[in-house]
Amino acid sequence: MSTTHTTEVINPSVHNDLADLKPEISDLGLRRPDHSKNVIIDWMTTVDHKKIGLMYGAMALFFLLVGGFEALVIRTQLMVPENDLISAQRYNQLFTMHGTTMIFLAIMPLNAAFFNFLVPLQIGARDVAFPRINAFSLWAFVAGALVINFGWLLQALEMFGLFTASGATAGMNDFVPAMGWFGYAPITSTEFTGAGTDFWIMGLQILGVASLSASLNFIVTIINMRAPGMKMMRLPVFTWMTLIVSLLIIFAFPAITVALIQLMFDRVFGTNFFSVGGGGQPILWQHLFWIFGHPEVYILVLPAMGIVSEVLPTFARKPLFGYAIVVFSGAVIGFLGFAVWSHHMFTTGLGKIATAAFSLLTMAIAVPTGVKIFNWVGTLWGGQIRFHAPMIFAIGFVWMFMMGGFSGIMHSSAPADAQQQDSYFVIAHFHYVAIGGILLAIVSGIYYWLPKMIGKMWQGNLNIWVGIFTVVGLNITFFPMHFLGLLGQPRRTHTYLSGFGWESYNMVCTIGSYILAFGVLLLVVDIVRCFRSKQLAGNDPWDARTLEWATSSPPKVYNFAATPIVNARDGFWADKYGPENRKLGEVDESHGIHMPSQSWMPMIASAGFIPLGLGLSLMQAGVPFMGYVAILGLVIIALGISLWALEGPGGYHLHPKKESN
Amino acid sequence: MSLLSLLLISGCDLNTRMSTFTAKGPVAETQLNLFMLTVWVTGFIFLAVGGVYVYVVIRFRDKKDGNESIPSQGHGNPLVEMGLIGVSILLLVIIAVPTLQGIWYTHDVPDDESSLLGSWYTNGDLSEADAKEPFIIRAIGYRWWWEFEYPQLGISTANEMVIPAGRPIHIELRSVDVIHSFWLPKIAGKVDLIPGRANSMWIQAGDTIDAWAKKAEFEGTDNERLLAYEQYLEDEIYDYYYGQCAEYCGDSHARMLFRAHVVKDEDFYAWVNRMDAGHAEAPEGMTWDDWYASYDETPEELTGDVHEGLKLFMGRAKCATCHAVKGNPRAVGVAGPNLTYLAERHSIAAGWLNHRNDDNSVDSEAQLNNFIKWIKDTDEVKPGNLMWKAKGAGIGELDPLLNDEEIRKISLYLQSLQ
């Protein structure tokens, strides 16, 4: 479909070309930053879900590299026994920040990048329901990431002799979080850890705000903004998974929010939720944390399943096998995900009955997970499998995810888990899920959708090498860890004695981690090459099935010149190959396309989180005047949100010419 | 592929110091059996599903034969779905039933007569209440070392526990600071020590005589049975076992190890009696009264490395502020490990510094070096530990710090604790 338009100026606020769009004056009397010529201002004030998605993706990829670097230092330290490359304290900071970074700053925002870019396109909408809240979620995420990582800055300043904790800042120690991403009380109390824990608490809290607001936005978008005929059971599976994940976030994050508030109160105001001396219960933290933490696992993995459920049908040229049951099992996984949290706590003395119940429920969750795998295999059955880059990674995903699933079944037997818990066996398990599963699916998604996002096509065969290095590296790194765990090596240990039979395995793991890292590096190179590619992708380079491929690459700011009317599941495929009554229709929109105005306010409001988070953290450490900084942060947030409400929604109309093909 | 690599790697030694593959007690054995069951079941699924998957990917690849026709757009088959769900559930039930049995069995000491302390303990009198309980050891976690109390026997030790083979033991798990986890892989999987929470577990090194006879289908007279059982313990169970803290507990988590000597009843009783008596005499056979009279009035008369080491231990180095040595009436500190018969242990610094020979004797030269290293570089060996930095008692606060000669003397004194 070509995308030529003619100008039809109906009134001053109606445009068809963004170039001659005149910024309007908002209700506050200020000029709206609509489509600034300054690229940086344009991106900072954008409310376009596609730009926001790309920014999520870029930042998440950056943090993926940061977390990967942290992992490489960890593996280098563990290469030989009794190594003293880094200190115990540094190691503990690294594994804490590796986990925190990968979960909250890499995988979740990578998923968010896909949600943002794809969901409105897949449902035939022009944007998300609340474009400015969407921008707010993005910038709140950035604020949270900065607060969590603030300790590294102090650490670096200290290393270069530019900062020492003395005088007014004497109360500061342990700038970088070092209590594990799980932060088990009471090691998070002020008795055992310093300012790093406060940065971590405040950072996670801010990230929670970002995730919650984004999730509400997606739920409303998916429920309300579907194109005509896009019934729920016609939604692409990726959109379905987005909906389920958003619901999981809405229900799971309050648990960690409460836990973090309690922890913050313990630290800042001396309450006794978790401190034994005051009658508190450390075990309470674990329950609250895992009531969030286990659904979080599915928050991470369901989007990956969604991506694969899009890629496999496209490249097998068949509909997803058992669409309804795949969607339903995703929902069942999400639901059961709330009922298995204590399998992270089999060694905490739950008692026989609770252990038995959580053991059985954990086994039960293997059923819907297995169903998904069966259905993916069924999708391929009878297809015409084309091994393009996205498909290679999707096929790898199914295989590696299955491996992670098997060790998951092994954990579900509580007595067997008593030997596996907190050993390298667990590390092997969840890295097969996290890298073999989630990361491979995300790479598959990048290869699949990046041409749509930037309009350019991949070049050459580097993708095959990316696949070889990541899959081989992942297996060399993590397969031996099953044995390391069963041979008794505990997790989270910065070094180990020789003579326990762990040396050769650790050496192999470390070599594998470098191979894996090289694969990720090649991926980055390939992405850069794609951006520099001269070859245009066209609307539909893969002969795909869903609506996002029906529009231009990259899509125009308004996504679709005319809102499509959907008459089938896999609507775009039906449009190409289906009978006449299944083809896409077009909604008559002669009044023009209403587009939202850009705004500074989401970014200003979320910028307030930085002084708020840092102020509360440093106040705990005894740095003077930090309470006022925190109050300043609150004022900025309140001001940002108020002005946001007062500036009015604005908006303008575009009249693109109906496409003529 | 993975199964193949599993076989390849298992060519490596699976009987290492903390291997869960060589279970040496009923708890670890139950856990290992369950693990192997999950391996077989998932291995079967792996072959079945993985086989079909590989077949499908190869069989239905695009032949590149120019045939551009669209494949049949079939979108599911409820019968296939239901069948596969049914099979999945069936396979899980195979794991679930023994799992439930295992949860109940591994939870606590078996509820029978022979599990009670009174049924086997023949080393002196027990109170009536103690006799009707299982044998109890209280494991207390500190950052970063272990205290092992034997409340029924009135003794206490640190980092190296001594336990009798074939006897069920109820372990009370307590922590004074953060969460730790007690893991002795060959004997039992881990259970956490959580502050403010009364957790417990049970362990047993080797089978009881009845369980062993049943398993080995032994037939013979009682005496033959006893001899054969003793031989089994000798061959397979009496040993030096390695354990470690398995829950992240801060800076030196990696250096919070422990050991368990599994010994025959007679050796256990002898150890208990020695620990109970403590060091009845001061160095060179002096009575403690005489020694302290001299220490208080004429300390310069106490010469020689060991005497001078003990003087430092009680005086300038402030060791006794935190450490107890049973027998020594003024060394009654409770904040640090109990040092009674310290020189008989095969490791110090919670298992990090080792001086054990293969024949289970102590390498005294290595031991002396370890004492010196530990006192000199305690903050490096175990970063963040209290012996270095405790307010008012840390040796890192001494001004001047202990010099090499003083450290050597203290070490020689410690080596005399045998």
Side-chain angles (χ1 to χ4, degrees):
Chain A
M1 298 182 194
S2 73
T3 50
T4 46
H5 318 129
T6 57
T7 314
E8 280 182 77
V9 180
I10 294 173
N11 65 52
S13 70
V14 173
H15 312 267
N16 81 319
D17 190 346
L18 298 175
D20 46 65
L21 189 88
K22 297 285 182 297
E24 288 177 60
I25 304 299
S26 72
D27 296 359
L28 292 167
L30 299 170
R31 209 167 59 176
R32 293 187 191 277
D34 274 338
H35 305 286
S36 168
K37 296 274 189 299
N38 183 328
V39 178
I40 293 176
I41 292 178
D42 184 39
W43 283 76
M44 287 200 307
T45 59
T46 189
V47 291
D48 180 350
H49 68 98
K50 297 177 287 297
K51 284 182 176 167
I52 289 172
L54 284 173
M55 283 192 276
Y56 265 118
M59 283 180 238
L61 276 178
F62 168 75
F63 280 112
L64 184 77
L65 297 182
V66 172
F69 174 74
E70 287 160 353
L72 279 187
V73 179
I74 288 172
R75 275 315 324 163
T76 311
Q77 161 71 10
L78 294 174
M79 186 162 62
V80 290
E82 299 183 63
N83 197 2
D84 57 359
L85 176 74
I86 52 173
S87 67
Q89 192 195 24
R90 184 78 69 245
Y91 181 91
N92 297 336
Q93 295 170 341
L94 284 169
F95 83 69
T96 300
M97 288 306 291
H98 168 69
T100 306
T101 301
M102 286 304 196
I103 290 167
F104 295 103
L105 308 182
I107 297 179
M108 281 185 78
L110 272 170
N111 289 340
F114 286 113
F115 296 169
N116 265 289
F117 201 98
L118 294 171
V119 166
L121 287 167
Q122 286 198 326
I123 63 175
R126 306 227 174 269
D127 206 316
V128 294
F130 309 110
R132 283 184 291 178
I133 288 182
N134 206 20
F136 170 80
S137 305
L138 169 75
W139 298 114
F141 155 70
V142 175
L146 289 176
V147 170
I148 282 193
N149 281 290
F150 188 72
W152 286 126
L153 177 70
L154 293 179
Q155 192 81 60
L157 290 176
E158 194 196 42
M159 269 175 69
F160 293 112
L162 299 170
F163 173 79
T164 39
S166 65
T169 56
M172 290 188 64
N173 51 22
D174 302 341
F175 318 126
V176 184
M179 65 303 181
W181 87 279
F182 46 91
Y184 276 4
I187 209 168
T188 46
S189 75
T190 48
E191 190 184 347
F192 302 111
T193 46
T197 304
D198 299 294
F199 295 138
W200 179 82
I201 294 171
M202 295 313 301
L204 282 195
Q205 205 67 289
I206 296 166
L207 291 174
V209 173
S211 297
L212 283 166
S213 58
S215 298
L216 287 165
N217 210 345
F218 286 117
I219 292 170
V220 176
T221 304
I222 294 170
I223 303 283
N224 286 318
M225 312 230 354
R226 283 166 289 139
M230 180 57 88
K231 300 173 182 166
M232 290 305 278
M233 290 314 276
R234 284 179 180 169
L235 283 178
V237 175
F238 180 77
T239 298
W240 254 117
M241 293 304 125
T242 305
L243 179 62
I244 292 169
V245 163
S246 300
L247 287 166
L248 289 186
I249 288 176
I250 297 294
F251 288 109
F253 266 72
I256 185 104
T257 306
V258 168
L260 287 169
I261 287 174
Q262 291 177 335
L263 181 58
M264 186 191 88
F265 273 43
D266 270 12
R267 286 180 66 89
V268 181
F269 304 120
T271 54
N272 287 311
F273 290 104
F274 305 119
S275 83
V276 180
Q281 276 293 347
I283 195 79
L284 172 66
W285 169 271
Q286 292 194 28
H287 283 291
L288 289 171
F289 183 82
W290 287 116
I291 285 174
F292 149 77
H294 197 79
E296 172 71 14
V297 173
Y298 297 106
I299 289 168
L300 300 175
V301 80
L302 286 176
M305 293 174 162
I307 290 171
V308 168
S309 302
E310 298 291 314
V311 171
L312 291 177
T314 294
F315 294 95
R317 315 194 70 202
K318 271 185 70 213
L320 185 67
F321 190 84
Y323 170 91
I325 205 156
V326 170
V327 168
F328 185 67
S329 54
V332 171
I333 290 174
F335 181 76
L336 278 181
F338 282 96
V340 295
W341 78 89
S342 279
H343 70 206
H344 298 270
M345 300 165 59
F346 278 152
T347 64
T348 59
L350 292 168
K352 290 179 280 198
I353 302 294
T355 303
F358 282 104
S359 216
L360 296 182
L361 280 163
T362 304
M363 290 175 193
I365 215 165
V367 175
T369 313
V371 163
K372 291 212 164 204
I373 290 176
F374 300 147
N375 282 288
W376 290 325
V377 177
T379 304
L380 299 180
W381 190 286
Q384 237 172 41
I385 303 171
R386 299 182 167 179
F387 295 99
H388 294 295
M391 190 60 166
I392 294 171
F393 287 93
I395 287 175
F397 161 91
V398 175
W399 190 267
M400 290 299 121
F401 181 74
M402 207 159 68
M403 300 280 295
F406 291 144
S407 46
I409 293 176
M410 295 173 189
H411 298 317
S412 70
S413 177
D417 184 65
Q419 292 283 22
Q420 298 157 6
Q421 165 83 359
D422 271 322
S423 78
Y424 269 79
F425 192 90
V426 176
I427 301 191
H429 160 69
F430 70 74
H431 280 92
Y432 265 91
V433 175
I435 301 181
I438 300 166
L439 188 68
L440 287 187
I442 284 173
V443 175
S444 170
I446 291 174
Y447 274 107
Y448 187 49
W449 280 300
L450 195 65
K452 171 58 61 184
M453 294 175 176
I454 63 172
K456 295 174 182 171
M457 200 55 192
W458 299 97
Q459 290 187 312
N461 287 329
L462 195 56
N463 57 70
I464 293 170
W465 293 105
V466 176
I468 290 172
F469 277 103
T470 47
V471 172
V472 169
L474 136 77
N475 280 287
I476 294 180
T477 310
F478 295 106
F479 195 78
M481 286 191 189
H482 292 110
F483 284 88
L484 265 182
L486 295 168
L487 293 180
Q489 185 171 6
R491 292 171 78 176
R492 299 171 186 138
T493 47
H494 75 279
T495 187
Y496 52 95
L497 288 172
S498 55
F500 285 68
W502 301 335
E503 295 94 329
S504 48
Y505 293 99
N506 273 296
M507 178 61 85
V508 171
C509 293
T510 301
I511 293 170
S513 67
Y514 278 91
I515 298 174
L516 175 57
F518 186 68
V520 176
L521 195 71
L522 288 183
L523 171 68
V524 174
V525 172
D526 211 12
I527 292 175
V528 172
R529 276 161 48 109
C530 186
F531 270 89
R532 297 165 64 104
S533 169
K534 296 275 186 293
Q535 190 190 340
L536 296 181
N539 290 3
D540 182 22
W542 309 117
D543 195 11
R545 315 178 70 86
T546 41
L547 278 184
E548 72 269 29
W549 304 101
T551 188
S552 59
S553 306
K556 299 289 180 203
V557 64
Y558 42 78
N559 290 352
F560 299 94
T563 298
I565 298 171
V566 181
N567 289 308
R569 191 183 293 161
D570 288 351
F572 182 50
W573 177 269
D575 189 54
K576 290 186 287 189
Y577 301 103
E580 202 57 40
N581 63 345
R582 295 290 186 93
K583 290 190 190 300
L584 294 173
E586 285 187 354
V587 177
D588 178 31
E589 285 168 315
S590 51
H591 58 284
I593 299 169
H594 181 236
M595 297 300 297
S597 286
Q598 295 187 203
S599 172
W600 282 104
M601 296 313 158
M603 192 186 185
I604 290 172
S606 23
F609 284 123
I610 297 175
L612 176 64
L614 294 181
L616 279 175
S617 305
L618 295 172
M619 183 176 98
Q620 198 299 116
V623 182
F625 305 117
M626 283 302 142
Y628 298 106
V629 173
I631 292 171
L632 174 74
L634 272 181
V635 170
I636 295 176
I637 296 169
L639 207 64
I641 293 175
S642 312
L643 295 180
W644 169 345
L646 295 173
E647 72 174 354
Y652 55 91
H653 284 79
L654 288 173
H655 277 262
K657 172 83 173 165
K658 287 269 172 66
E659 294 167 8
S660 55
N661 58 332
Chain B
M1 180 188 76
S2 305
L3 208 69
L4 187 74
S5 42
L6 190 143
L7 289 174
L8 276 176
I9 294 179
S10 59
C12 302
D13 189 4
L14 293 184
N15 181 19
T16 52
R17 286 174 176 174
M18 286 176 66
S19 172
T20 61
F21 289 109
T22 39
K24 295 289 189 182
V27 178
E29 211 172 287
T30 307
Q31 291 162 338
L32 177 63
N33 290 342
L34 268 168
F35 171 70
M36 291 315 293
L37 177 69
T38 62
V39 170
W40 290 119
V41 171
T42 54
F44 167 75
I45 306 174
F46 178 82
L47 288 180
V49 180
V52 173
Y53 187 58
V54 171
Y55 168 78
V56 168
V57 170
I58 294 172
R59 165 76 178 74
F60 295 105
R61 71 189 187 283
D62 186 9
K63 305 289 191 305
K64 303 221 167 86
D65 51 5
N67 177 9
E68 285 296 310
S69 65
I70 310 267
S72 154
Q73 299 290 299
H75 49 71
N77 182 332
L79 270 182
V80 174
E81 304 271 8
M82 289 304 146
L84 288 171
I85 291 173
V87 173
S88 313
I89 292 173
L90 201 73
L91 286 170
L92 288 173
V93 170
I94 295 177
I95 298 175
V97 173
T99 290
L100 291 181
Q101 292 169 332
I103 290 171
W104 259 256
Y105 179 70
T106 57
H107 186 258
D108 208 348
V109 173
D111 185 16
D112 57 40
E113 193 71 19
S114 62
S115 296
L116 304 181
L117 182 59
S119 74
W120 59 269
Y121 190 78
T122 54
N123 181 43
D125 293 334
L126 293 167
S127 77
E128 204 168 316
D130 289 345
K132 284 184 180 161
E133 284 174 339
F135 178 34
I136 295 172
I137 294 176
R138 189 174 296 141
I140 306 170
Y142 295 77
R143 302 206 321 165
W144 294 271
W145 60 279
W146 302 83
E147 181 176 359
F148 297 119
E149 280 182 11
Y150 296 65
Q152 295 147 323
L153 312 178
I155 60 174
S156 176
T157 187
N159 299 326
E160 292 202 9
M161 59 200 293
V162 178
I163 56 173
R167 306 297 184 190
I169 306 167
H170 175 87
I171 310 265
E172 292 181 355
L173 301 162
R174 304 288 184 267
S175 169
V176 299
D177 37 46
V178 301
I179 300 176
H180 304 281
S181 193
F182 182 97
W183 191 21
L184 195 52
K186 288 190 178 186
I187 296 178
K190 59 195 79 67
V191 179
D192 297 347
L193 297 73
I194 302 176
R197 196 174 159 87
N199 273 354
S200 68
M201 65 189 292
W202 78 288
I203 65 172
Q204 180 180 301
D207 287 317
T208 59
I209 186 164
D210 291 336
W212 167 81
K214 201 170 156 196
K215 231 188 264 177
E217 292 173 4
F218 187 83
E219 286 173 24
T221 65
D222 279 1
N223 206 25
E224 286 167 359
R225 197 171 97 120
L226 201 61
L227 282 173
Y229 175 65
E230 187 57 40
Q231 191 62 44
Y232 148 76
L233 294 178
E234 189 73 48
D235 293 344
E236 293 183 32
I237 304 302
Y238 300 142
D239 206 347
Y240 184 72
Y241 292 86
Y242 294 77
Q244 185 162 355
C245 173
E247 184 58 85
Y248 176 65
C249 53
D251 277 357
S252 289
H253 165 55
R255 291 166 179 179
M256 185 170 166
L257 291 65
F258 66 96
R259 309 280 187 258
H261 286 274
V262 176
V263 298
K264 61 180 72 173
D265 286 354
E266 295 75 36
D267 293 345
F268 176 66
Y269 298 150
W271 177 78
V272 168
N273 295 339
R274 278 164 68 69
M275 291 300 288
D276 193 30
H279 300 271
E281 293 176 344
E284 293 172 14
M286 291 173 75
T287 66
W288 283 109
D289 287 345
D290 289 349
W291 196 88
Y292 273 113
S294 183
Y295 176 74
D296 292 335
E297 308 295 332
T298 55
E300 64 283 356
E301 285 177 13
L302 293 169
T303 56
D305 289 339
V306 173
H307 278 301
E308 286 178 21
L310 179 54
K311 284 197 300 191
L312 286 162
F313 186 90
M314 300 306 303
R316 173 166 132 76
K318 302 185 191 172
C319 306
T321 314
C322 301
H323 295 286
V325 179
K326 200 165 189 181
N328 181 338
R330 294 195 198 171
V332 291
V334 292
N338 187 312
L339 300 184
T340 311
Y341 289 108
L342 173 67
E344 292 181 0
R345 295 181 203 156
H346 295 66
S347 66
I348 59 166
W352 189 255
L353 301 174
N354 291 275
H355 34 260
R356 177 175 180 266
N357 290 321
D358 288 339
D359 64 355
N360 204 34
S361 62
V362 171
D363 178 341
S364 45
E365 197 185 320
Q367 185 184 46
L368 184 65
N369 290 336
N370 282 345
F371 282 136
I372 290 172
K373 183 178 170 59
W374 170 238
I375 299 170
K376 196 176 162 71
D377 298 326
T378 172
D379 198 41
E380 248 169 65
V381 174
K382 203 167 282 187
N385 88 85
L386 286 175
M387 180 161 138
W388 184 255
K389 66 165 194 185
K391 284 250 177 308
I395 56 174
E397 288 194 337
L398 294 178
D399 187 21
L401 292 174
L402 294 171
N403 63 36
D404 287 355
E405 187 53 28
E406 289 173 318
I407 290 174
R408 194 182 66 86
K409 285 173 180 163
I410 297 174
S411 301
L412 284 169
Y413 162 67
L414 292 176
Q415 212 167 21
S416 77
L417 294 176
Q418 52 183 312

